[in-house]
Amino acid sequence: MFISHSTREDPYGTAVRRHLAQGLRERGYEVLVDADGLLPGEKWHPKLYEWLLECRAAVVLANRDALRSGWVHREVDILMWRHHFNRSFFVLPAPIGGVTPEDMDAAGFGDLMSLQLVQRPSVTESKDPPDPACAAEVIVAAFPPLPPQPEEDDPVIRWAEDITAQLSQVRTMSRLARMGRALGLHDRYLTDAPVTDVSCGFLAAQMLHTHDAVRLRNAVGEVARHMDSTALDQLVNLVLPVWIDATSARHVLPSGDGAGPRTVVLNVRSPDTGEYYLGRAFCMDHSRYWPIVVSAPPPGEEDPEEELRHRCEQTIRARFGMTASEPLAHAPQLPNCDTYVVIFAEYCSLEEAERVVDWLCGQIPWLHILLIPRDELTHDDPRPGRLAQASLLVPPFGVDDERVAIRVAYGMLNDWGIGRRDEGRPGRVAGRG
């Protein structure tokens, strides 16, 4: 049971957290809670990522400090990422210290608002907060019995397990420690002994964090010569997307409320980055998603909108094995698999791209669309037609960062991946940077 919180500077929140941990333990739960916080200078806390993978349920103590905490936001993103794929993974939002649902929504915890909130104990006439033990008791009572066995269909967990399996080939423990240092782990978690006991699962958990592409390459390089080519190839493909911010990538996933296909406008400069977004969001589980990338050539004398529309139709027919005489509406929908068309509208205006997207959605209504526009957009820019209701993702990296990451990924695939001859395989991207 994981407790997400920010209570160091909040005596009332600290008291609720302590009573909550005690109450959960009395009910037989193993409680994972960090009461020590970060060391000075630490940018992230490696142990928390391991706990976020290990836990089978979580409670989010939403006090005022938590609403402002970047750490709590990151933890909630990972918890809701797991919940998206595995509805039996229980996440309980618990507002305390006078926090209201409206406060949570305004602070960016919109995902949590889709879950059942803990009903807050009523306050006294003096408006004092309820006794910490009473508040904790209400939270503990809100937990249903967990199933005896964890849900196996959790792609976040399986992705980490796959990374662990590849790293387990490395028999030299000092190399695993060097990989950890290359990822930026504090020496608090590693020792300077020649042979260091650092687990493969612990390193795999660090892939939940977003890593600079060059640092990621250096980390893989520390273990590359200690793995056979097949395991190294698998490792490279599993970790390549982690230069993409997981919080941002998660928003390309279909909504869990059955609202229908998703259309996302992604402010990047390369269709490769669009594929990395999908790989990061789906944890490289190719049984769950299928990307179709459409990138029209320079139009020359032709109409760029018509050229992009033609390329969409041509590419989709080829990927589905359809003949020229078959209507696009007959494209077969893959069971339990989300099909995304990544459209790189490099030579079209936003209005032209919107008409292509609208036409394609009319032809195949169940497709998800990831549109990379010609020009960067802000949240204040007007968007035409169907795109007005689309999600706009503005990545937390710049154009130069994207170019470097694409080139590094291309180099990793060429230097260590055995599959450059197999570029049609889902998730295998060819660098255009």
Side-chain angles (χ1 to χ4, degrees), residues 16-28:
V16 173
R17 171 177 56 78
R18 287 174 177 166
H19 284 290
L20 174 61
Q22 178 182 345
L24 290 171
R25 290 187 180 106
E26 289 174 354
R27 288 189 57 179

Side-chain angles (χ1 to χ4, degrees), residues 5-11 61-73 96 99 109:
H5 70 97
S6 179
T7 58
R8 173 181 285 187
E9 306 297 330
D10 177 5
L61 283 181
N63 62 344
R64 298 287 175 189
D65 289 345
L67 300 188
R68 297 186 292 266
S69 169
W71 261 111
V72 173
H73 276 266
I96 61 172
V99 169
F109 286 105

Side-chain angles (χ1 to χ4, degrees), residues 149-291:
Q149 295 296 327
E151 174 67 51
E152 293 184 358
D153 190 24
D154 188 328
V156 184
I157 298 296
R158 286 193 276 116
W159 174 65
E161 289 175 345
D162 287 343
I163 295 172
T164 301
Q166 310 317 316
L167 288 176
S168 65
Q169 275 213 356
V170 181
R171 303 301 183 187
T172 307
M173 292 296 101
S174 59
R175 276 290 168 178
L176 292 175
R178 292 180 66 169
M179 181 182 187
R181 291 192 182 92
L183 289 172
L185 296 187
H186 196 280
D187 277 343
R188 169 188 189 182
Y189 304 99
L190 305 167
T191 69
D192 292 322
V195 177
T196 304
D197 184 16
V198 54
S199 77
C200 299
F202 177 75
L203 291 176
Q206 307 317 306
M207 298 305 162
L208 291 175
H209 185 60
T210 304
H211 293 286
D212 171 85
V214 175
R215 172 172 280 183
L216 181 67
R217 176 188 171 85
N218 293 340
V220 173
E222 292 290 354
V223 297
R225 294 185 180 180
H226 295 255
M227 305 174 68
D228 66 42
S229 60
T230 300
L232 181 58
D233 177 62
Q234 290 295 319
L235 178 65
V236 168
N237 280 279
L238 286 166
V239 304
L240 273 182
V242 304
W243 68 271
I244 296 292
D245 178 64
T247 300
S248 179
R250 189 171 66 84
H251 292 290
V252 309
L253 292 170
S255 62
D257 57 8
R262 189 155 180 74
T263 299
V264 177
V265 180
L266 181 60
N267 259 1
V268 297
R269 302 270 51 88
S270 168
D272 289 347
T273 308
E275 287 193 82
Y276 284 125
Y277 259 80
L278 291 171
R280 179 65 153 158
F282 284 92
C283 301
M284 299 304 288
D285 185 348
H286 299 301
S287 68
R288 291 179 179 269
Y289 77 103
W290 193 35

Side-chain angles (χ1 to χ4, degrees), residues 341-372:
V341 178
V342 181
I343 301 177
F344 186 33
E346 186 177 13
Y347 302 103
C348 290
S349 68
L350 192 62
E351 290 73 17
E352 291 169 332
E354 190 278 332
R355 288 194 290 268
V356 173
V357 169
D358 187 61
W359 163 80
L360 184 55
C361 291
Q363 295 291 315
I364 312 176
W366 46 264
L367 283 178
H368 301 284
I369 306 294
L370 197 61
L371 174 67
I372 300 175

